[in-house]
Amino acid sequence: MSIRPQRYDNFLKNAIKRKILSLYILMKHSFARYLLLLAMLFFSAAGFADDFTLKGKVIDEDGQALELVTVSCLAQGKVAMTNLKGEFSISLNSADSVEVRFSMVGYGVRKRVFRRPKGKMTVQIVMYPSEALQEITVTERRRQTSQTEQLNTKDLKIAPSITGNAVEELIQQQAGVSTHNELSSQYNVRGGSFDENSVYINGVEIYRPLLVSSGQQEGLSIINPDMVESIGFSTGGFAAKYGDKMSSALDITYRKPKRLEGTVTASLLGASGYLGYGNKTFSMSHGLRYKTNKYLLGSLETSGEYQPNFFDYQTYITYRPNKRWEVELIGYISENHYNFTPESRETSFGTIADAKSFKVYFDGQEKDVFRTYFGTASIARSFGDSTKIKFLTSAFHTKEKETYDIAGQYWLDDAQSSENLGVGTYMEHARNYLTADVVSFKLVGTHKTRRHDIEAGLTYKIENIKETSREYEMRDSSGYSIPHTPDRLDLIYTLSAKNDVKSHRIEAYIQDTYHFNKGDNFFTLNYGVRLANWSFNKETIVSPRASLALVPAFNPDYTFRFATGLYYQAPFYKEMRDTVTVNGLTRAVLNENIKSQRSLQFIAAMDYRFKMLNRPFKFSAEAYFKSLSNLIPYNVQNVKITYFGENLCSGYAAGLDLKLYGEFVPGTDSWLTFSLMSMKQKYNGQWIPTPTDQRYSINLHFTDYFPGTDRWKMTLRLAFADGLPFGPPHRGLEQQQFRAPAYKRADIGMSYRALKNGKSVQNIWLGLDCLNLFGISNVNSYYWVTDVTNRQWAVPNYLTGRQINGKVTVEL
């Protein structure tokens, strides 16, 4: 038998160890045994130990230390993480070969194989961004150490979409978020109203049209999904840099293309086109979208001529002549038209034992226009790699018109006996005009050290809003005008307004993100304060906020998060509109004594990363409590929010949000969410549910491939949410004692990759979506009628039925 030279030392050492051990067993004298034991310890110290220690440092391609890099030996089941200096130490068992992996989100996985390691070894590992290593697959998700979660944008283009606003539809499927109207891109977060959600694009706060009252009127949101690079979303406890909203913060960053790229999509609900180009110093993106939900609105119970047309164009341009300077421009134009001529409607409702039929024949039309312009410009100056100052300016302009004159003749019948229960006439009229301008100037400074990320900002806003409105509704039920008064003719609802408000706001914030460790426990502390002053009501608010994340030493797969803060909902135009009624006529006036609504929040959360069936998963749980004060109560009809215009209530919100995210199917992303919540407000000494008190909700987003191929892809979205409180219109909040049926919906989309990784055309996707798969009739709102016995009936207004949508996506 021959022994190779490189293994001779190991062979000889093992032979000597075996010989000493046999002599130790044969020796009877204790002193002789003691000498042999010392000999064995000597040889072990000389290199016969089975363990070794691997130490080192992990850096990026620029030589900067990387923290929280996972250092693992899968064969031995041992894991360590780098500290704030990028250093690590791990004890492993020696073998002929030991493979150690170095992994971190955004970087390619590095592997090092050590041959017969022994003693102490020191290495330096350089990690490169995953884009530079095309053959490497990044298998980890970014660890969440703040209250802002980064959402995956990979499947935005091929998922089934109803509104064409793919980003908002993705948000609506997150834990703690709810929607009860598939025609709308708006959403409620943990019981908050639509107006309590702040949205930022590249650090600039954006605004929505103010007169939109129904999902049918909504066009395309300002967020173009073709241009989005990253989505950060927080359901509470967010940092001080985000503005004065109580419920959520959505942070959008647009992509800077690095080459020529493009996408064209066409479907039965609209079309879009995107073109981008970039190099080392310059990039530009252009997005053009057209939407018409005429086909979708045809499934509503109200038949007629729907003519909705929504169009927008958006551009994003960057220029970076060197490492010190960078200029960014964003431009946006939106033109939304909604024209509707109703003809008739027939609705069946009630139970099998008590079924009712409601028929209406219409005359009149509705014409709405929402025209919006938005632009931002910024210039940034970097002072080395750690300090940057950025100046931003933005302008928002909207001109809106909502006009309608619609008359209806209705019959309410018993569906079983055909007995007529009520007959009447109603007429709705509106002439609403609004123009709003918001100009802002913002200065932001950032400074980074090894342990601190400091950011401060100062914003000055100029606001000018002009409104001229007149609305009324007349009802003649069973021969009597409602409400019935013997001495005059009153209408059931009137509103007139003519207001012009000019004001300015000053906002400032400072925050720090502090990274530190205690032994092998890693902490991330974010703390800061935000101040704001509004000239209209002379109010100054101070909003301290803090969050702490812990990656414990006992198991780095856990992350514990805690957050608290005092958050304000600064009033905007809709909140400060108060009403005064004299002789049956109601006028909207501006309340100069209105105050910001306030929310004291406490959040405790946990994330657990694990593998099941050798696939990555993450389970998240968040418990929260919000103490609310200075609340401005409101009513909701469709998506129109009507505020009382005064700080009349206090309240609370408490709940639990659960989310399981991972590869339910290998290579795909799916998630399941479950939320429980209770939200109450105290009004006139009585505790009542808020209009958004959704007690439970379940959402499932599931993706799958056909067996044996990745060309076919399926996306299934399920929603099951508790119904919201409601009551008769134009009554007090105490009357909101009813609850609508649960919202249930299923959408499924099938996509086929007809062309994969071509030359001039990279991919072609053919898609077929079935919207509202089970044809469930969900209730949007109610229309109230009175029968001959003066009994009121709530007639449900149902949402869209089952529809098929086909689409084609070409990626250049």
Side-chain angles (χ1 to χ4, degrees), residues 247-264:
S247 291
S248 74
L250 176 60
D251 193 350
I252 301 295
T253 301
Y254 275 174
R255 181 171 66 252
K256 300 176 184 178
K258 298 180 180 179
R259 56 177 178 82
L260 181 63
E261 58 184 27
T263 302
V264 178

Side-chain angles (χ1 to χ4, degrees), residues 168 470 621:
E168 286 87 347
R470 182 167 181 82

Side-chain angles (χ1 to χ4, degrees), residues 153-159 225-228 255 259-266 272-276 705 710-711 713 751-767 807-812:
T153 63
K154 181 176 64 175
D155 296 327
L156 281 180
K157 297 177 183 178
I158 60 176
D226 290 329
M227 303 172 67
V228 171
R255 181 171 66 252
R259 56 177 178 82
L260 181 63
E261 58 184 27
T263 302
V264 178
T265 301
S272 66
Y274 161 76
L275 181 65
Y705 288 100
D710 61 354
R711 287 183 176 269
K713 191 170 186 179
S751 299
Y752 174 66
R753 199 173 189 176
L755 178 64
K756 181 178 179 180
N757 298 329
K759 293 183 179 180
S760 58
V761 177
Q762 187 176 7
N763 298 298
I764 297 179
W765 288 92
L766 305 178
K807 60 182 179 181
V808 179
T809 300
V810 179
E811 299 176 355
L812 306 178

Side-chain angles (χ1 to χ4, degrees), residues 1-21 43 46-48 116:
M1 181 181 66
S2 63
I3 302 175
R4 292 196 299 267
Q6 61 266 32
R7 296 197 174 181
Y8 179 75
D9 289 341
N10 287 340
F11 176 82
L12 179 61
K13 292 174 182 177
N14 289 331
I16 294 173
K17 289 177 64 178
R18 288 193 298 269
K19 187 65 175 178
I20 293 175
L21 184 59
F43 280 111
F48 295 110
R116 296 174 304 281

Side-chain angles (χ1 to χ4, degrees), residues 119 509 606 784 802:
Y509 71 89
M606 181 271 292
W784 291 78
R802 183 190 296 113

Side-chain angles (χ1 to χ4, degrees), residues 584-623:
L585 300 178
T586 303
R587 292 188 304 110
V589 296
L590 303 182
N591 181 7
E592 295 185 358
N593 297 317
I594 197 75
K595 299 298 181 183
S596 297
Q597 301 177 87
R598 188 165 54 201
S599 172
L600 178 60
Q601 302 185 10
F602 301 93
I603 299 171
M606 181 271 292
D607 300 326
Y608 174 55
R609 303 189 305 172
F610 63 96
K611 283 196 173 184
M612 185 169 57
L613 302 177
N614 202 30
R615 298 197 292 270
F617 287 85
K618 186 179 83 167
F619 174 74
S620 300
E622 284 198 15

Side-chain angles (χ1 to χ4, degrees), residues 360-363 406-410 424-428:
V360 187
Y361 295 95
F362 297 100
D363 186 21
I406 297 178
Q409 303 280 339
Y410 69 83
T425 300
Y426 73 89
M427 180 175 180
E428 296 176 340

